[in-house]
């Protein structure tokens, strides 16, 4: 059993008469894990998040952090004790990146020199070059600004990090990078992170647990991503998760049954295949470079995501479908080509996995 860090006990927030923004929310958030609040716009995610650090006060109910009722802590102190990251980075435009990151440590009485040193370290932690420290926020890309926002939230080394749609305003490629970076960071830091998003894919990628909110501020389901995709608690969750949840679920399905077939490899400068078969082009260390195939002459066709033993069925399918030959390239732990998987076979396994799941529901 994981230890609880944050607990909501029958928490309601009513901004004005009529429907509550958050309605009788009771949930327990595990220490050292990522909990995602997900749901359509206006369903009370931000309100719930902000009640944790008292940016918003509940109308009724109790919230505890580390076993302590949040109302027993001065709101300003509570706020400073937690990291907070929002969609717009919220950086101070007239201050350098380093000074922005150093803000909370400075407020906490850390010396200027020490706060700067810590800020420099944090630039590296969030994957930014140290040269960016002297710039102003407007001189950074959207993705870089969000990284600075994360660095600033981490500066005082808070046990709790609250993140409100921090990656929603950047393009999908950068969002994907930021998500992977957050997961990498979390492996080292093991913070208690509460992360708000309206995107179910982001929720299932990041969340150890996912809380699906429904309109009217009601908690519709609170479970692991896998369980939410496999067994939505009701029609609302099912439709929010989407029709293609059968495929999303593959991201959690092991690929144990996928057959790996031998593949013919050739060196980069070998002459073209004349027999109408696809050949995998590899470098001196047997690492895949691309394909040559029927009608491609000597051209190397790049492409195909790679698949490793132990990856999910989703990755097996991705590798086969993204490959120009229809054969997904399997690599070993050293990145050397180890064989191929066939799209038709992966799809067959997916279909039988789906039937098993239907039978279970
Ligand atoms: P979400 O983050 O899920 O989009 P919010 O928590 O921001 O939802 O909002 C929940 C509901 O509360 C919405 O109906 C919104 O209009 C209302 N609301 C949010 N903030 C305020 C406020 N400061 N004053 C009045 N109503 C608010
Ligand atoms: Mg919101």
């Amino acid at each position: 059993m994981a230890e609880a860090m944050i607990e909501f006990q029958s928490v309601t927030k009513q901004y004005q008469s009529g429907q509550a923004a958050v309605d009788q929310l009771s949930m327990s958030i595990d220490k050292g894990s990522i909990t995602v609040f997900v749901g359509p716009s206006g369903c009370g995610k931000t309100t719930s998040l902000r009640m944790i650090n008292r940016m918003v006060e509940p109308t009724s109910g109790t919230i505890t952090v580390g076993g302590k009722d949040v109302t027993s802590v001065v709101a300003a102190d509570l706020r400073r004790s937690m990291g907070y990251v929002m969609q717009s980075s919220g950086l101070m435009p007239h201050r350098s990146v380093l000074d922005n990151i150093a803000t909370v440590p400075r407020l906490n009485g850390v010396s200027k020199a020490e706060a700067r040193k810590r800020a420099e370290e944090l630039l590296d932690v969030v994957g930014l070059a140290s040269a960016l420290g002297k710039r102003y926020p407007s001189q950074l890309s959207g993705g870089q600004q969000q990284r600075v926002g994360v660095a600033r939230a981490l500066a005082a080394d808070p046990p709790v990090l609250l993140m409100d749609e921090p990656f929603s305003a950047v393009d999908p490629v950068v969002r994907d990078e930021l998500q992977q970076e957050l997961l990498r960071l979390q492996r080292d830091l093991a913070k208690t992170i509460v992360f708000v998003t309206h995107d179910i894919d982001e929720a299932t990628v990041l969340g150890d647990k996912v809380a699906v909110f429904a309109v009217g501020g009601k908690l519709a389901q609170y479970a692991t991503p896998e369980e939410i995709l496999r067994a939505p608690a009701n029609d609302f969750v099912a439709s929010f998760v989407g029709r293609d949840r059968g495929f999303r679920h593959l991201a959690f399905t092991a690929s144990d049954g996928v057959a790996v077939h031998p593949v013919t490899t050739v060196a980069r400068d070998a002459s073209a295949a004349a027999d109408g078969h696809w050949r995998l082009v590899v470098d001196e260390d047997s690492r895949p470079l691309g394909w040559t195939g029927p009608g491609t002459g000597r051209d190397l066709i790049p492409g195909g995501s790679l698949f490793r033993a132990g990856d999910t069925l989703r990755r097996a399918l991705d590798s086969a479908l993204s490959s120009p030959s229809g054969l997904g390239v399997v690599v070993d732990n050293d990145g050397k080509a180890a064989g191929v998987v066939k799209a038709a076979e992966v799809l067959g396994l997916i279909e039988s996995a789906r039937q098993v799941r239907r039978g279970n529901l």
Side-chain angles (χ1 to χ4, degrees), residues 23-229:
D23 192 5
Q24 294 286 326
L25 178 63
S26 292
M27 68 185 296
S28 175
I29 290 171
D30 295 338
K31 186 173 181 176
S33 70
I34 303 182
T35 300
V36 179
F37 293 176
V38 68
S41 177
C43 64
K45 305 180 298 292
T46 294
T47 299
S48 300
L49 188 77
R50 290 184 169 192
M51 289 191 290
I52 297 171
N53 70 355
R54 294 186 66 193
M55 288 167 80
V56 172
E57 301 284 0
T59 307
S60 61
T62 307
I63 297 170
T64 62
V65 175
K68 208 165 167 186
D69 189 329
V70 292
T71 58
S72 70
V73 185
V74 176
D77 294 346
L78 188 75
R79 230 161 280 162
R80 231 182 286 157
S81 75
M82 299 182 200
Y84 192 85
V85 189
M86 357 175 230
Q87 180 173 334
S88 62
S89 66
L91 300 174
M92 291 171 286
H94 53 282
R95 289 210 186 164
S96 73
V97 163
L98 280 183
D99 285 345
N100 265 286
I101 298 173
T103 304
V104 173
R106 289 290 287 142
L107 287 172
N108 288 341
V110 173
S111 76
K112 191 161 183 175
E114 209 176 312
R116 284 201 138 234
K117 188 164 161 276
R118 172 87 179 125
E120 277 163 12
E121 288 166 10
L122 279 164
L123 271 185
D124 186 49
V125 167
V126 299
L128 290 174
S130 58
L132 296 182
K134 291 191 204 69
R135 296 207 191 155
Y136 290 91
S138 63
Q139 297 172 301
L140 305 183
S141 71
Q144 288 170 333
Q145 288 183 29
Q146 289 310 103
R147 284 173 194 261
V148 175
V150 173
R152 184 182 54 171
L154 290 171
D157 201 21
V160 174
L161 213 52
L162 307 177
M163 308 183 81
D164 193 354
E165 309 233 10
F167 308 149
S168 292
V170 297
D171 70 64
V173 174
V174 174
R175 186 181 317 148
D176 196 67
E177 274 172 30
L178 291 172
Q179 288 169 356
Q180 293 309 315
E181 195 80 10
L182 181 65
L183 290 172
R184 185 186 62 73
L185 270 178
Q186 173 67 352
R187 278 195 286 273
D188 297 336
L189 301 177
K191 301 285 184 191
T192 303
I193 299 179
V194 187
F195 189 106
V196 167
T197 180
H198 59 267
D199 178 351
I200 185 67
D201 287 323
E202 183 162 76
T204 57
V205 165
L206 293 179
D208 295 303
K209 272 203 180 155
V210 175
V212 183
F213 283 69
V215 186
K218 290 191 163 62
L219 183 58
Q221 188 168 8
Y222 183 37
T224 62
E226 180 175 11
E227 192 175 345
I228 283 171
L229 296 175

Side-chain angles (χ1 to χ4, degrees), residues 280-290 331 334-337:
L280 183 66
V281 181
V282 294
D283 69 10
E284 314 75 60
D285 295 321
S286 299
R287 294 198 175 83
L289 296 170
V331 292
D334 299 324
K336 296 181 194 296

